[in-house]
Amino acid sequence: MTTHSPAETRAFGTRLAAQLLPGDVLLFWGDLGAGKSEMTRGIAAGLGVTETVTSPSFTILNVYESGRVPLYHFDWYRLQQVDELWEMGLDEYLGGDGIAVVEWPGQCPEAIPETHLDITITPVDETTREITLIPRGGFRRLTMEEA
């Protein structure tokens, strides 16, 4: 899947949200500025979240409960060890009653659940992004149309 603007990346996230179910875990892979937060904003819009969606860079987790299911937006970039996640009750959020989006999952690979959807966002140029979805551990296949 290719998007050509931040708006298209958000729109892709909105379409993806229509297929998400409570308990789904999405792992976002991509460099700084790749579009992970933009896609999360689209997912939030697709879930009906009314709050402003911001990156949880310093808080590790932002919870949005105004949509059809809760959205748990993680940023593991600043984590030093997985114990920080367990102390905040990670097990309640990953695979729980909402949709969990994790940016920078490679920081704590031991916390990644077996069943998840890998989403890799690769910048091609200033605005174009290649987006790849790979279901892992029995995550169901999704049907995504081109933007």
Side-chain angles (χ1 to χ4, degrees):
M1 170 70 195
T2 302
T3 63
H4 302 282
S5 68
E8 283 187 15
T9 300
R10 284 189 305 274
F12 180 83
T14 300
R15 290 192 311 279
L16 175 61
Q19 297 187 56
L20 298 177
L21 302 172
D24 283 350
V25 176
L26 313 178
L27 304 183
F28 278 48
W29 303 90
D31 293 335
L32 194 62
K36 299 179 295 291
S37 291
E38 286 298 332
M39 180 160 321
T40 301
R41 287 183 191 94
I43 290 169
L47 294 175
V49 170
T50 57
E51 299 101 324
T52 299
V53 175
T54 60
S55 178
S57 296
F58 295 99
T59 58
I60 301 172
L61 171 64
N62 288 340
V63 176
Y64 303 99
E65 296 182 322
S66 60
R68 67 174 170 87
V69 297
L71 175 63
Y72 305 121
H73 184 194
F74 286 93
D75 185 329
W76 292 358
Y77 185 77
R78 288 177 168 66
L79 292 176
Q80 301 298 313
Q81 56 187 350
V82 73
D83 290 344
E84 295 174 68
L85 289 171
W86 300 127
E87 289 169 7
M88 64 187 306
L90 172 72
D91 52 330
E92 296 176 30
Y93 300 106
L94 294 185
D97 64 344
I99 309 299
V101 170
V102 180
E103 295 186 33
W104 304 101
Q107 291 297 104
C108 290
E110 58 271 80
I112 295 173
E114 180 180 336
T115 300
H116 63 270
L117 179 65
D118 278 333
I119 301 175
T120 302
I121 305 174
T122 307
V124 174
D125 60 31
E126 188 71 26
T127 57
T128 305
R129 301 295 185 258
E130 285 294 327
I131 302 170
T132 306
L133 307 179
I134 302 174
R136 306 277 187 197
F139 195 99
R140 71 198 170 284
R141 293 228 171 254
L142 302 176
T143 305
M144 298 302 301
E145 300 296 322
E146 288 289 321

